[in-house]
Short mmCIF file of all heavy atoms in Angstrom, two decimals:
data_model
loop_
_atom_site.label_atom_id
_atom_site.label_comp_id
_atom_site.label_asym_id
_atom_site.label_seq_id
_atom_site.Cartn_x
_atom_site.Cartn_y
_atom_site.Cartn_z
N THR A 160 110.38 81.38 116.38
CA THR A 160 109.84 81.99 115.19
C THR A 160 109.43 80.96 114.13
O THR A 160 108.64 81.28 113.26
CB THR A 160 110.73 83.05 114.61
OG1 THR A 160 112.02 82.41 114.33
CG2 THR A 160 110.94 84.16 115.60
N THR A 161 109.96 79.70 114.24
CA THR A 161 109.65 78.80 113.14
C THR A 161 108.49 77.95 113.61
O THR A 161 108.27 77.73 114.84
CB THR A 161 110.85 77.88 112.85
OG1 THR A 161 111.19 77.08 114.00
CG2 THR A 161 112.06 78.68 112.53
N ALA A 162 107.78 77.41 112.62
CA ALA A 162 106.57 76.52 112.94
C ALA A 162 107.00 75.35 113.77
O ALA A 162 106.30 74.98 114.71
CB ALA A 162 105.91 76.23 111.61
N ILE A 163 108.10 74.67 113.43
CA ILE A 163 108.47 73.46 114.13
C ILE A 163 108.92 73.82 115.55
O ILE A 163 108.52 73.11 116.51
CB ILE A 163 109.58 72.71 113.37
CG1 ILE A 163 109.87 71.38 114.07
CG2 ILE A 163 110.82 73.56 113.25
CD1 ILE A 163 108.79 70.42 114.01
N SER A 164 109.62 74.90 115.84
CA SER A 164 110.08 75.29 117.14
C SER A 164 108.82 75.58 117.98
O SER A 164 108.81 75.29 119.17
CB SER A 164 111.10 76.38 117.15
OG SER A 164 110.47 77.58 116.65
N ARG A 165 107.88 76.30 117.44
CA ARG A 165 106.66 76.68 118.19
C ARG A 165 105.83 75.41 118.49
O ARG A 165 105.27 75.28 119.61
CB ARG A 165 105.86 77.72 117.44
CG ARG A 165 106.67 79.08 117.27
CD ARG A 165 105.91 80.02 116.46
NE ARG A 165 104.73 80.55 117.12
CZ ARG A 165 104.81 81.54 118.02
NH1 ARG A 165 105.99 82.09 118.42
NH2 ARG A 165 103.72 81.98 118.63
N ALA A 166 105.77 74.47 117.52
CA ALA A 166 104.96 73.28 117.73
C ALA A 166 105.69 72.43 118.79
O ALA A 166 105.00 71.82 119.67
CB ALA A 166 104.85 72.55 116.44
N ASP A 167 106.99 72.31 118.76
CA ASP A 167 107.73 71.59 119.74
C ASP A 167 107.54 72.12 121.13
O ASP A 167 107.33 71.37 122.10
CB ASP A 167 109.25 71.65 119.46
CG ASP A 167 109.70 70.73 118.29
OD1 ASP A 167 108.81 69.91 117.82
OD2 ASP A 167 110.84 70.88 117.73
N TYR A 168 107.57 73.41 121.29
CA TYR A 168 107.34 74.06 122.61
C TYR A 168 105.93 73.72 123.13
O TYR A 168 105.72 73.37 124.27
CB TYR A 168 107.56 75.56 122.51
CG TYR A 168 107.36 76.27 123.85
CD1 TYR A 168 108.52 76.42 124.67
CD2 TYR A 168 106.14 76.67 124.33
CE1 TYR A 168 108.33 77.05 125.99
CE2 TYR A 168 106.01 77.27 125.61
CZ TYR A 168 107.07 77.46 126.34
OH TYR A 168 106.96 78.07 127.64
N LEU A 169 104.97 73.91 122.29
CA LEU A 169 103.56 73.69 122.67
C LEU A 169 103.34 72.25 123.03
O LEU A 169 102.69 71.98 124.05
CB LEU A 169 102.68 74.10 121.50
CG LEU A 169 101.16 74.09 121.76
CD1 LEU A 169 100.83 74.96 123.02
CD2 LEU A 169 100.39 74.50 120.52
N ALA A 170 103.99 71.26 122.23
CA ALA A 170 103.82 69.91 122.58
C ALA A 170 104.42 69.56 123.91
O ALA A 170 103.81 68.84 124.77
CB ALA A 170 104.44 69.03 121.42
N GLU A 171 105.61 70.02 124.18
CA GLU A 171 106.29 69.70 125.42
C GLU A 171 105.63 70.40 126.71
O GLU A 171 105.66 69.84 127.79
CB GLU A 171 107.72 70.14 125.36
CG GLU A 171 108.63 69.22 124.50
CD GLU A 171 110.12 69.49 124.66
OE1 GLU A 171 110.58 70.43 123.98
OE2 GLU A 171 110.70 68.89 125.59
N HIS A 172 105.11 71.58 126.48
CA HIS A 172 104.53 72.31 127.58
C HIS A 172 103.03 72.37 127.62
O HIS A 172 102.38 73.07 128.41
CB HIS A 172 105.07 73.76 127.57
CG HIS A 172 106.51 73.88 127.78
ND1 HIS A 172 107.13 73.90 129.00
CD2 HIS A 172 107.58 73.85 126.88
CE1 HIS A 172 108.49 73.97 128.93
NE2 HIS A 172 108.74 73.91 127.63
N TYR A 173 102.39 71.60 126.79
CA TYR A 173 100.94 71.61 126.61
C TYR A 173 100.19 71.50 127.93
O TYR A 173 99.24 72.16 128.15
CB TYR A 173 100.50 70.52 125.63
CG TYR A 173 99.07 70.61 125.22
CD1 TYR A 173 98.65 71.35 124.12
CD2 TYR A 173 98.09 69.83 125.90
CE1 TYR A 173 97.28 71.43 123.72
CE2 TYR A 173 96.72 69.94 125.62
CZ TYR A 173 96.32 70.71 124.43
OH TYR A 173 95.09 70.74 124.13
N TRP A 174 100.63 70.58 128.74
CA TRP A 174 99.93 70.18 130.02
C TRP A 174 100.41 70.99 131.20
O TRP A 174 100.01 70.71 132.34
CB TRP A 174 100.03 68.71 130.24
CG TRP A 174 99.41 67.91 129.13
CD1 TRP A 174 100.10 67.28 128.14
CD2 TRP A 174 98.04 67.67 128.86
NE1 TRP A 174 99.25 66.68 127.30
CE2 TRP A 174 97.97 66.93 127.67
CE3 TRP A 174 96.86 68.05 129.52
CZ2 TRP A 174 96.74 66.53 127.22
CZ3 TRP A 174 95.64 67.67 129.00
CH2 TRP A 174 95.58 66.92 127.87
N ASP A 175 101.25 72.03 131.04
CA ASP A 175 101.81 72.82 132.17
C ASP A 175 100.68 73.42 132.94
O ASP A 175 100.81 73.58 134.23
CB ASP A 175 102.82 73.84 131.65
CG ASP A 175 104.09 73.36 131.20
OD1 ASP A 175 104.27 72.09 131.25
OD2 ASP A 175 104.92 74.10 130.81
N GLY A 176 99.61 73.87 132.24
CA GLY A 176 98.50 74.53 132.96
C GLY A 176 97.40 73.65 133.46
O GLY A 176 96.33 74.15 133.94
N PHE A 177 97.59 72.35 133.30
CA PHE A 177 96.55 71.39 133.68
C PHE A 177 96.69 70.95 135.07
O PHE A 177 97.84 70.44 135.42
CB PHE A 177 96.53 70.22 132.73
CG PHE A 177 95.34 69.25 132.84
CD1 PHE A 177 94.17 69.56 132.25
CD2 PHE A 177 95.44 68.11 133.63
CE1 PHE A 177 93.01 68.70 132.37
CE2 PHE A 177 94.36 67.23 133.74
CZ PHE A 177 93.16 67.55 133.15
N ASP A 178 95.68 71.02 135.90
CA ASP A 178 95.75 70.63 137.30
C ASP A 178 95.36 69.08 137.40
O ASP A 178 94.20 68.79 137.51
CB ASP A 178 94.79 71.44 138.16
CG ASP A 178 94.98 71.14 139.64
OD1 ASP A 178 95.70 70.27 140.01
OD2 ASP A 178 94.17 71.78 140.46
N PHE A 179 96.39 68.25 137.40
CA PHE A 179 96.07 66.80 137.44
C PHE A 179 95.60 66.36 138.83
O PHE A 179 95.05 65.25 138.91
CB PHE A 179 97.41 66.09 137.14
CG PHE A 179 97.86 66.18 135.70
CD1 PHE A 179 98.87 67.00 135.32
CD2 PHE A 179 97.28 65.38 134.68
CE1 PHE A 179 99.29 67.15 133.97
CE2 PHE A 179 97.66 65.49 133.38
CZ PHE A 179 98.68 66.32 133.03
N SER A 180 95.59 67.22 139.74
CA SER A 180 95.08 66.86 141.09
C SER A 180 93.61 67.12 141.16
O SER A 180 92.90 66.68 142.20
CB SER A 180 95.83 67.60 142.22
OG SER A 180 95.54 68.97 142.12
N ASP A 181 93.04 67.85 140.23
CA ASP A 181 91.60 68.20 140.20
C ASP A 181 90.82 67.12 139.53
O ASP A 181 90.65 67.09 138.30
CB ASP A 181 91.43 69.54 139.44
CG ASP A 181 89.98 70.04 139.55
OD1 ASP A 181 89.17 69.32 140.14
OD2 ASP A 181 89.75 71.18 139.04
N THR A 182 90.34 66.15 140.30
CA THR A 182 89.55 65.03 139.69
C THR A 182 88.22 65.47 139.17
O THR A 182 87.63 64.72 138.40
CB THR A 182 89.32 63.98 140.77
OG1 THR A 182 88.59 64.57 141.92
CG2 THR A 182 90.65 63.37 141.28
N SER A 183 87.75 66.71 139.42
CA SER A 183 86.50 67.19 138.79
C SER A 183 86.69 67.25 137.26
O SER A 183 85.75 67.20 136.55
CB SER A 183 86.09 68.48 139.31
OG SER A 183 86.95 69.52 138.98
N LEU A 184 87.93 67.43 136.79
CA LEU A 184 88.15 67.47 135.40
C LEU A 184 87.86 66.16 134.67
O LEU A 184 87.69 66.15 133.47
CB LEU A 184 89.61 67.92 135.15
CG LEU A 184 89.97 69.40 135.47
CD1 LEU A 184 91.44 69.51 135.51
CD2 LEU A 184 89.31 70.33 134.52
N LEU A 185 87.81 65.11 135.41
CA LEU A 185 87.51 63.77 134.81
C LEU A 185 86.06 63.74 134.37
O LEU A 185 85.67 62.87 133.57
CB LEU A 185 87.78 62.66 135.86
CG LEU A 185 89.26 62.47 136.30
CD1 LEU A 185 89.30 61.40 137.36
CD2 LEU A 185 90.15 62.16 135.07
N HIS A 186 85.27 64.68 134.91
CA HIS A 186 83.81 64.62 134.63
C HIS A 186 83.47 65.79 133.75
O HIS A 186 82.29 66.19 133.65
CB HIS A 186 83.03 64.63 135.92
CG HIS A 186 83.43 63.58 136.93
ND1 HIS A 186 83.20 62.19 136.72
CD2 HIS A 186 84.17 63.66 138.01
CE1 HIS A 186 83.72 61.46 137.63
NE2 HIS A 186 84.25 62.33 138.45
N CYS A 187 84.42 66.44 133.11
CA CYS A 187 84.19 67.62 132.28
C CYS A 187 84.93 67.33 130.94
O CYS A 187 85.98 67.93 130.70
CB CYS A 187 84.84 68.77 132.98
SG CYS A 187 84.28 70.37 132.27
N PRO A 188 84.27 66.55 130.12
CA PRO A 188 84.97 66.27 128.84
C PRO A 188 85.16 67.43 127.94
O PRO A 188 86.08 67.49 127.08
CB PRO A 188 84.01 65.21 128.13
CG PRO A 188 82.70 65.43 128.90
CD PRO A 188 82.99 65.78 130.25
N GLU A 189 84.30 68.50 128.10
CA GLU A 189 84.48 69.68 127.26
C GLU A 189 85.87 70.36 127.57
O GLU A 189 86.31 71.13 126.67
CB GLU A 189 83.35 70.74 127.56
CG GLU A 189 81.99 70.21 127.19
CD GLU A 189 81.31 69.43 128.28
OE1 GLU A 189 81.97 69.06 129.24
OE2 GLU A 189 80.08 69.12 128.15
N VAL A 190 86.40 70.05 128.74
CA VAL A 190 87.75 70.59 129.01
C VAL A 190 88.78 69.48 128.75
O VAL A 190 89.60 69.70 127.87
CB VAL A 190 87.78 70.98 130.49
CG1 VAL A 190 89.21 71.40 130.82
CG2 VAL A 190 86.81 72.08 130.77
N THR A 191 88.66 68.35 129.47
CA THR A 191 89.76 67.44 129.50
C THR A 191 89.84 66.57 128.16
O THR A 191 90.96 66.47 127.57
CB THR A 191 89.56 66.46 130.72
OG1 THR A 191 89.36 67.21 131.84
CG2 THR A 191 90.86 65.59 130.87
N GLU A 192 88.76 66.04 127.76
CA GLU A 192 88.75 65.22 126.56
C GLU A 192 89.08 66.13 125.32
O GLU A 192 89.81 65.70 124.43
CB GLU A 192 87.44 64.47 126.37
CG GLU A 192 87.47 63.46 125.29
CD GLU A 192 86.25 62.43 125.32
OE1 GLU A 192 85.59 62.49 126.37
OE2 GLU A 192 86.12 61.66 124.45
N GLN A 193 88.49 67.30 125.23
CA GLN A 193 88.77 68.19 124.09
C GLN A 193 90.16 68.60 124.14
O GLN A 193 90.82 68.70 123.06
CB GLN A 193 87.88 69.41 124.20
CG GLN A 193 87.98 70.33 122.95
CD GLN A 193 87.63 69.65 121.67
OE1 GLN A 193 86.57 69.07 121.54
NE2 GLN A 193 88.62 69.75 120.67
#
């Protein structure tokens, strides 16, 4: 419920849904770079 706890969670888990095995993402800056 606190801003810092929510920011901490988001920072630590930010990349949980990113498929690092998908090299097509390297050519999609609207997704990966953004």
Side-chain angles (χ1 to χ4, degrees):
T160 57
T161 66
I163 185 64
S164 65
R165 295 175 73 80
D167 284 349
Y168 182 92
L169 187 56
E171 285 192 273
H172 295 274
Y173 187 89
W174 299 101
D175 286 1
F177 188 84
D178 185 359
F179 289 102
S180 66
D181 184 359
T182 56
S183 68
L184 288 167
L185 298 175
H186 309 289
C187 194
E189 296 87 350
V190 176
T191 311
E192 190 164 349
Q193 184 60 53

